[in-house]
Structure formats: structure tokens, C-alpha cells
Amino acid sequence: MENLQILLRQHVGKPCAPVVKKGDKVRRGTLIAEPTGLGANIFSSADGVVEDVLEDRIIIKPDEEQSEDYEKIPEGTPLEMVKAAGVVGMGGAGFPTGIKLDTHFDGDGYILVNASECEPGLAHNIEQLDREPEKVIKGVKYAMEISGADKAIIAIKKKHHDTIVKLDELLADEPAISRHLLPDIYPMGEERAVVRECLGIELEPSQLPSAAKAVVINSETCARVAEAIDERKPSFLKNLTVRGKLNGGHDAHVFVDVPVGTSVGSLIERAGGIDGDYGEIIMGGAFTGRACTVDEPICKNTGAILVSMPFLDLHGANLGILVCACGGNLDRMRDLAKKYNAKEASLCYCKQAQEQPNGSRKCERPGNCPGQVANNLQFKKDKCEYIIIGNCSDCSNTVMASGPKMGLKVLHMTDHVMRAVDHPLYRTLRVSKQVDQDLNVVDNVENN
């Protein structure tokens, strides 16, 4: 095994403080860092020796032989064990799950399970539901018990027909747990979108799901909750998808229980290695991920590693940037503009990308977008030849309604990835934004 680089910040909040020093012997599951504020415990993901303790990470040299066993967390209440295990959101920013579940619904609330596999091209959440649905459901029940919620809804895209059939069989004996079918559009996994689709409640950008008496957690997070309570297992493993311009084709490679701290490069090699020239490597999804290097380590909340096609060369053409709250931020969009060898000539924000007090932006109604005519007019006025957008499925559709008619050539921030994973480009919306909850009703295709 290669040396593992275990970052001290793998969650929302402050970096953790190391509790080990150089030369210490550790086992899988040994506590190596603790929160200094908002955060979650961090553990060794291998048997080995602490090779170094740096400002932002702990380097562990694994032993040649690895045990299947691990250091167990202390017995306690279900909530205490989730917190002790360092479980965080496995599908997003990594908010500590113990804090999220520490609510008091008193029998009047919902656990909403995000099993949407929101980012295009990913496959590990659905594969886990196929392989371990019982563990996920067990975690859902624990989440209900801890939070005081009396109901749970598993939100999953309708296109995953076979997985849903299996899920329905298991839920037949679970009257408090149901499932809700989602359309195959981005960003159906955004937590306010999950609340809207499952409960019919439209939250403001500043509101948390708790305002709708709900907690939204990822399906893998549910499984890690079950492991913490049933197996006293710390959170030091991650499921993820590796995909893109790889030797052997563009199909998804799903890796289960990967030790946290494993390098991006080693996972790409396990998936066959990069096939020739490529554009960039993305850690995370095509919409919300970031460019990374092969030396970087995965964290508890790493969802994917994607190898893109090479970038088109726009030869310095004028480019307009349209920033959407559902996609890359301004820095990411400008980075892509440089990689396309374009000149930034204009900048606009989607009218629904509401700025928050911390400077970030949130969509007012994720997945439901107004027109973009005003922005396209601005791009035309600023003499843009191309525009690059980071918009959701619906928003991209509204760009296409007027942009090309004005002579604007549209690029989407995900194009170089979608081509690498053989996924349709985000342009005109060709699937319905709503689906019938009857699995046997074929209703999600507008135009074949």
C-alpha cells in the first residue's frame, strides 16, 4: 500500500487537532484527530505507523499486512456512537451527521434519504442500494430513532427501475418508510429540492430542512450510521465512482470501502489508468467538483474521481461566463475559461443565484428556473462569441431557448466530462421535471 494522507479537515467546520505524533503505531480505526469546534473525529484507515504530522494532514505508512479488524468505538447511545464514529455527510459538504440528527421531532418529522445519485455519471450510491439495501434501511431506522422522526422517505430517480423493485419489496413490511420517485434532472439531490419533491414544501435559500421538520441524509451515510451502531465501526472508509477517459472504456468503476487517505492516482490506476491525453481530473461531481492532481487524497465525502476529455481550444475568443448556484462558483468557471483558452468578456449570474451572507450563492428554486434572456442579451452586447454556463438541467434549457438564436455558441461546464462518460450534454431539456409515482408508468421521456 502507498502512504495514506489523511486530511485534518474532511467536513464542514474547523480542521481537527491531531492526537498522535510521528512514530506512533496505529491500527485501522485508531482515533488520530479530534474536532476543535464543529467537526467530526478522524481515524486511521490502515494498520501502520505515523510517518509525519503536518499542518493539514497526517501521513501514515501502512504495514505490509493489513488486518480485517479495527479499533471499535465505545458503547453508548445511538447518537453518542454516531458522533464517536465521526460519521459525516457522504454525498455533499460533509456536515457532521451526529449534529444533524441531534434534533427533537418528538414523533412529528421526516428523515429524507437522498438516494438520487444527483451528479451525472456516478453509480456508487445505487450500487450500494443494490448490494446492501438492508444496511441502508437499518441506518434509516436508527436515524428516525435518534431524531424522533416518525416517518422516512427514500428519494430515488425513477430511471433506476430494478433497484426500486428490490427496494419496494423490502419496504412492504416498513409502514413508516416509503419511497419517492424523482425525475432524471440535475440537481434533484440538492437538499431543498429533496424537501420540495418529497414533502411539497418550498424552502427559502436561507432555510434548512429542519424548517420543514425534516433531516436530509445521503444513502451511504445511512449505511455508515448502521455500521457505527451495530458494528461499533469508526468512519474511515468511502464508496466512490471512478470514471471517464480511462483505458477499457467509459463505464463506471465503483470502489467500495476505500481507505480514506488513498490517492487519486492509485484509484485511477485501479480503474485501468488514463487513456492518452485528457483535460483535467475532477474530485467530486462534474457540476460541483474541483480540479485536482493525482497526488491528492480522498476524504470521507469524496463522491467521485472523473477524468475528462481534452479541452477545446477557443483561440482567445470572447467568452461570457454565466454562474449558477447549482454548478461551479466564479473561481471554478474562470478556471475553465482559461483551460478553454478563451478571453473573459462578460460575467453574469443566474437571476436565481441568491447571494448569502457568507458570500456563497444558493438557488432560489433548485431545478426550476426562469428564463435567461436578459443574461444572453448582455453577453451579445458585450460581443461574446461563446458562453460557458454552469446551470442545472432546467436553467440550461432556458439558456438554449434564446442564446443560439442570438448567435451565441454555448458550452456547459460539464461538457468535457459528459463526453468522457458518454452522457448527453446539458443543453435542451428532454425529460419531464415531474414523474408519476407509479413505477410502471413510463412518463419521463418527452421526445425519443
Side-chain angles (χ1 to χ4, degrees):
M1 291 178 65
E2 63 180 346
N3 282 0
L4 299 172
Q5 303 178 68
I6 302 182
L7 300 182
L8 294 173
R9 190 174 185 274
Q10 305 192 32
H11 46 255
V12 168
K14 297 181 179 180
C16 286
V19 295
V20 292
K21 62 184 184 302
K22 183 176 180 178
D24 283 354
K25 179 70 177 172
V26 293
R27 296 183 62 212
R28 292 197 330 147
T30 297
L31 179 67
I32 60 174
E34 295 178 325
T36 57
L38 177 64
N41 287 336
I42 295 175
F43 304 87
S44 173
S45 54
D47 302 329
V49 176
V50 177
E51 184 138 297
D52 210 347
V53 178
L54 305 177
E55 184 178 355
D56 67 337
R57 67 193 66 195
I58 295 171
I59 311 297
I60 294 176
K61 181 178 177 60
D63 294 339
E64 287 189 14
E65 293 188 10
Q66 293 289 314
S67 169
E68 290 295 316
D69 202 5
Y70 52 85
E71 293 278 358
K72 293 180 169 55
I73 61 172
E75 289 274 11
T77 66
L79 178 59
E80 289 169 345
M81 295 176 79
V82 170
K83 289 182 176 180
V87 180
V88 302
M90 298 281 172
F95 194 87
T97 304
I99 295 174
K100 183 177 279 193
L101 292 178
D102 193 6
T103 59
H104 305 280
F105 288 135
D106 297 324
D108 183 22
Y110 290 86
I111 295 296
L112 302 181
V113 181
N114 177 8
S116 66
E117 204 85 86
C118 183
E119 287 269 13
L122 276 57
H124 57 281
N125 285 297
I126 295 303
E127 182 157 325
Q128 180 173 46
L129 273 173
D130 278 335
R131 292 171 47 157
E132 300 181 307
E134 295 88 356
K135 182 184 283 190
V136 174
I137 292 172
K138 191 73 176 290
V140 174
K141 291 180 178 179
Y142 280 131
M144 293 170 68
E145 176 187 343
I146 293 168
S147 67
D150 62 335
K151 296 175 285 292
I153 302 173
I154 299 174
I156 183 171
K157 288 181 180 177
K158 189 172 183 177
K159 69 177 182 178
H160 300 298
H161 182 277
D162 293 347
T163 303
I164 296 166
V165 169
K166 296 177 189 176
L167 189 61
D168 283 349
E169 291 175 359
L170 291 173
L171 295 183
D173 298 322
E174 302 289 349
I177 306 175
S178 58
R179 52 91 170 144
H180 186 89
L181 303 181
L182 301 172
D184 185 21
I185 68 172
Y186 180 88
M188 281 298 103
E190 201 271 351
E191 64 178 11
R192 286 182 297 121
V194 173
V195 170
R196 181 190 66 224
E197 297 298 311
C198 292
L199 302 180
I201 299 173
E202 195 88 52
L203 294 175
E204 296 294 327
S206 61
Q207 289 182 300
L208 296 174
S210 57
K213 295 186 177 181
V215 170
V216 180
I217 55 176
N218 171 267
S219 52
E220 183 184 351
T221 307
C222 291
R224 302 302 178 192
V225 166
E227 289 176 351
I229 296 169
D230 290 342
E231 304 170 35
R232 294 171 56 193
K233 189 172 187 176
S235 180
F236 57 84
L237 302 171
K238 184 69 185 81
N239 301 341
L240 72 162
T241 303
V242 181
R243 193 170 186 179
K245 197 171 186 298
L246 302 172
N247 293 314
H250 51 66
D251 290 344
H253 299 261
V254 171
F255 296 110
V256 175
D257 289 345
V258 177
V260 166
T262 300
S263 74
V264 167
S266 67
L267 285 165
I268 289 174
E269 288 306 309
R270 284 175 61 185
I274 297 175
D275 179 15
D277 294 335
Y278 68 98
E280 64 178 358
I281 300 170
I282 297 172
M283 180 181 286
F287 278 88
T288 59
R290 61 175 180 82
C292 71
T293 67
V294 292
D295 297 325
E296 292 187 50
I298 66 162
C299 298
K300 294 180 187 179
N301 62 338
T302 302
I305 297 166
L306 304 171
V307 181
S308 85
M309 297 293 286
F311 288 94
L312 299 173
D313 186 347
L314 301 187
H315 301 286
N318 282 349
L319 176 76
I321 296 176
L322 177 55
V323 182
C324 177
C326 298
N329 61 19
L330 179 57
D331 288 343
R332 172 64 174 153
M333 298 298 283
R334 281 179 166 159
D335 177 52
L336 288 168
K338 289 179 182 177
K339 290 172 177 174
Y340 273 109
N341 189 22
K343 176 185 175 184
E344 180 185 334
S346 187
L347 170 66
C348 293
Y349 284 88
C350 174
K351 66 176 74 174
Q352 289 199 156
Q354 187 181 106
E355 188 169 7
Q356 303 301 297
N358 65 0
S360 67
R361 291 180 181 262
K362 286 190 174 182
C363 183
E364 292 177 357
R365 300 183 68 226
N368 288 327
C369 189
Q372 296 288 344
V373 174
N375 286 333
N376 284 335
L377 285 170
Q378 185 63 51
F379 292 137
K380 188 66 177 177
K381 178 182 176 183
D382 292 338
K383 297 182 170 49
C384 296
E385 181 180 354
Y386 293 88
I387 60 174
I388 183 168
I389 64 177
N391 304 92
C392 68
S393 300
D394 193 29
C395 203
S396 298
N397 187 62
T398 65
V399 171
M400 295 302 294
S402 61
K405 295 176 183 176
M406 299 179 191
L408 297 169
K409 300 172 185 176
V410 181
L411 304 171
H412 197 282
M413 67 170 292
T414 64
D415 284 355
H416 59 310
V417 181
M418 297 302 98
R419 289 188 174 99
V421 302
D422 195 31
H423 187 284
L425 301 184
Y426 282 84
R427 297 292 191 276
T428 303
L429 183 61
R430 296 188 179 278
V431 297
S432 173
K433 292 197 292 181
Q434 294 185 344
V435 294
D436 195 290
Q437 293 303 301
D438 185 340
L439 186 59
N440 295 315
V441 174
V442 178
D443 58 357
N444 66 326
V445 178
E446 290 178 342
N447 298 301
N448 247 335

